[in-house]
Amino acid sequence: QVQLVESGGGLVQTGGSLRLSCAASGRTFSRYAMAWFRQAPGKEREFVARITGSGGSTYSADSVKGRFTISRDNAKNTVYLQMNNLKPEDTAVYYCHATLRLVTKTYEYWGQGTQVTVSS
């Protein structure tokens, strides 16, 4: 069982920046691919960015590409989402997600979410 705790959300002006953190429990953090999702009120949850266990590969959604950067520090069991040039449409609850893919089964975990509000 992996527990994920997000932090760093808050209120920011358009064009501002925030860095979200997701702290994971356990001693096998590097085995998990990590990702960020977000969900705005009345909308479906959408993918934001992902990173491999080693941190060697990342991918982000077109909507945030060039503005958001996902990274991880396996020594700290933490994944980050650096958000720059924030826009009102980035307003959402941001969720941390962990995936462990085994030959027998895939394990997935979600954090509780952290609110990001971008004001005009």
Side-chain angles (χ1 to χ4, degrees), residues 21-68:
S21 298
C22 173
S25 65
R27 293 181 290 273
T28 59
F29 180 68
S30 64
R31 302 176 188 174
Y32 286 80
M34 302 296 296
W36 289 95
F37 290 75
R38 67 186 182 186
Q39 187 167 23
K43 298 182 180 179
E44 297 180 357
R45 188 170 298 187
E46 68 171 335
F47 167 80
V48 175
R50 64 137 175 91
I51 187 168
T52 55
S54 67
S57 181
T58 64
Y59 179 80
S60 60
D62 288 343
S63 60
V64 306
K65 196 166 296 183
R67 300 188 298 119
F68 292 10

Side-chain angles (χ1 to χ4, degrees), residues 47-95:
F47 167 80
V48 175
R50 64 137 175 91
I51 187 168
T52 55
S54 67
S57 181
T58 64
Y59 179 80
S60 60
D62 288 343
S63 60
V64 306
K65 196 166 296 183
R67 300 188 298 119
F68 292 10
T69 302
I70 188 171
S71 62
R72 68 193 296 162
D73 187 340
N74 287 344
K76 297 180 179 179
N77 273 29
T78 302
V79 63
Y80 305 96
L81 185 67
Q82 178 66 48
M83 305 184 295
N84 298 325
N85 192 25
L86 283 160
K87 305 174 181 180
E89 50 263 46
D90 295 319
T91 295
V93 176
Y94 283 71
Y95 296 92

